[in-house]
Amino acid sequence: MLRSLVGSEMCIRDRYHQNLARLCASLRDQLVHVYANMYLTPPRSQAVGTHTDDQDVIILQIAGTKLWTLYESPVTLPYTHEMVGKTGPHRAVTDQMREKVVEEVELQAGDLLYLPRGMMHEARTGDGNLSLHLTLTCPSHDFTWAKFGANAIGQLLMQQEGELRHMVKPETALGSGEASEQEAAILAQIVEAVKGLSLSKAQEAFRSKMGSHNGPQDHAAHNEQMSAPLPRQIRPSSQLRMRRGMLMGFDDGDRTNPLCKLVIKNNGRTLEQAVDRQHIFIYHAIASTKGDHFAVEELPGDGYSQICVCKLLLRQEVLEIFEQGASGGGKGKAAIMSSIPEDAHAEEDDDGELLYSG
């Protein structure tokens, strides 16, 4: 799947490419879970500003060059809410942080760079040099003892019957009132339930959790169609249509975030995808077509952005490609071009299926 990031960087994810999914699956014995993104960055670009991650990252430069600036970690082994440069102005990168440069590294094709969890960094391309690199990410913040235990305790408590399934009174939750003896007893019940936690139960809870993460990756690893190219190059004049049953909306609560959440629903399945806020008006325009066909060039925005958005939705099988006057269609008629290989068989009334559920 192609998606556009801030700064016109393009990304292919492992969930949409068979070989990347297989590579990630092969690393599970050593790293529990790994996911991959492949980034194509044009010259003179910086897609993301200086920031830290709550993950361990391995970067393989495939083509071109990219300059990385590495800084000391502002927070040792941060959790998601402790990242800087990504979670809003209250966690912004300061001038003091920028002064603590560790090293500047220019990656050439074949070079490998490891970024430990929490190391602050930024990357940019130079004049005349594009960059293609593969990022292998281990979400190590989610595999800490604290998260391992919290996941197990959470699952254990949600299996309990009785009072623990009831809503906590607002005054109790907010501390604005006196706790009753009954409420104190419920809290004691929680403590008592946690005492029943064992390592084997924690491991079972963790395996259950990882199954939901690994499922979409396994689907891509065993699906030959995931690496199939689109049947036609997208042109400004290409005719497209939303597949039957697709609904698009947005979860746009934090307007300070350069990304917003695109929500796609289809027959009970839901896909949530972070998209560039600069392109949100293009998605709105596509959603407003309500199944009518349209030309790529009829969408708002510049041609590059139009094609990026349409390629993303085609790979997710949200859109169908039409070709005016296609063979057998007759003049003025449109023939559906599915986003699967030509030798595959598809029913005419296929309502489409999201590649994974969020």
Side-chain angles (χ1 to χ4, degrees), residues 11 20 40 64 77 109 126 139 159 187 222 242 277 303 311 317 336:
C11 171
L20 290 183
L40 176 63
L77 301 178
Q159 292 169 1
L187 185 60
H222 296 94
M242 285 183 65
R277 182 177 299 280
K311 280 189 173 182
E317 297 191 351
I336 297 176

Side-chain angles (χ1 to χ4, degrees), residues 222-282:
H222 296 94
N223 188 347
E224 297 291 341
Q225 294 178 8
M226 301 302 284
S227 296
L230 292 173
R232 292 286 188 273
Q233 269 207 328
I234 306 301
R235 302 182 297 273
S237 60
S238 294
Q239 297 285 316
L240 308 176
R241 185 186 74 176
M242 285 183 65
R243 294 173 70 91
R244 197 173 295 119
M246 294 289 177
L247 296 173
M248 289 202 300
F250 297 89
D251 182 355
D252 194 23
D254 182 8
R255 294 181 179 272
T256 64
N257 192 326
L259 302 177
C260 63
K261 186 185 295 182
L262 169 67
V263 181
I264 302 170
K265 296 184 178 181
N266 175 36
N267 297 330
R269 289 190 170 189
T270 300
L271 166 69
E272 296 182 353
Q273 172 68 53
V275 297
D276 188 346
R277 182 177 299 280
Q278 295 178 2
H279 294 160
I280 192 171
F281 58 95
I282 303 179

Side-chain angles (χ1 to χ4, degrees), residues 231-232 239 243 314 319-323 326 334-340 342:
R232 292 286 188 273
Q239 297 285 316
R243 294 173 70 91
L314 279 164
L319 295 179
E320 297 172 321
I321 306 176
F322 282 65
E323 288 293 336
I336 297 176
M337 301 297 295
S338 173
S339 59
I340 59 177
E342 295 181 357

Side-chain angles (χ1 to χ4, degrees), residues 53-276:
D53 292 312
D54 55 2
Q55 309 149 338
D56 287 87
V57 178
I58 299 171
I59 296 153
L60 174 61
Q61 189 71 26
I62 297 173
T65 62
K66 201 163 196 179
L67 179 64
W68 293 78
T69 304
L70 312 180
Y71 305 84
E72 290 184 10
S73 302
V75 179
T76 302
L77 301 178
Y79 288 107
T80 304
H81 68 280
E82 296 174 315
M83 294 188 300
V84 298
K86 297 177 75 173
T87 53
H90 62 291
R91 299 292 298 174
V93 176
T94 66
D95 291 337
Q96 288 180 322
M97 294 178 188
R98 293 183 187 277
E99 292 174 358
K100 299 178 181 180
V101 177
V102 175
E103 190 173 1
E104 283 196 344
V105 180
E106 184 176 57
L107 295 187
Q108 310 282 340
D111 288 344
L112 199 68
L113 176 65
Y114 167 58
L115 295 178
R117 170 178 156 207
M119 171 167 272
M120 197 167 77
H121 59 276
E122 62 179 303
R124 57 171 53 87
T125 51
D127 294 340
N129 290 321
L130 58 75
S131 168
L132 180 66
H133 78 264
L134 177 67
T135 297
L136 294 173
T137 301
C138 173
S140 45
H141 75 282
D142 214 22
F143 306 149
T144 62
W145 275 103
K147 286 287 192 76
F148 180 75
N151 176 64
I153 292 171
Q155 290 198 32
L156 180 65
L157 293 178
M158 286 189 288
Q159 292 169 1
Q160 305 298 310
E161 300 292 342
E163 294 288 351
L164 296 189
R165 290 181 177 266
H166 290 241
M167 178 180 171
V168 180
K169 294 178 182 179
E171 58 268 25
T172 301
L174 298 173
S176 57
E178 291 282 336
S180 67
E181 291 185 6
Q182 181 185 10
E183 290 167 334
I186 294 173
L187 185 60
Q189 183 183 343
I190 292 175
V191 174
E192 191 64 28
V194 172
K195 290 180 181 179
L197 181 64
S198 65
L199 180 58
S200 61
K201 289 181 179 179
Q203 291 167 334
E204 182 180 352
F206 187 77
R207 285 194 296 269
S208 174
K209 175 183 176 179
M210 295 315 302
S212 64
H213 288 285
N214 292 331
Q217 200 173 76
D218 289 337
H219 172 71
H222 296 94
N223 188 347
E224 297 291 341
Q225 294 178 8
M226 301 302 284
S227 296
L230 292 173
R232 292 286 188 273
Q233 269 207 328
I234 306 301
R235 302 182 297 273
S237 60
S238 294
Q239 297 285 316
L240 308 176
R241 185 186 74 176
M242 285 183 65
R243 294 173 70 91
R244 197 173 295 119
M246 294 289 177
L247 296 173
M248 289 202 300
F250 297 89
D251 182 355
D252 194 23
D254 182 8
R255 294 181 179 272
T256 64
N257 192 326
L259 302 177
C260 63
K261 186 185 295 182
L262 169 67
V263 181
I264 302 170
K265 296 184 178 181
N266 175 36
N267 297 330
R269 289 190 170 189
T270 300
L271 166 69
E272 296 182 353
Q273 172 68 53
V275 297
D276 188 346

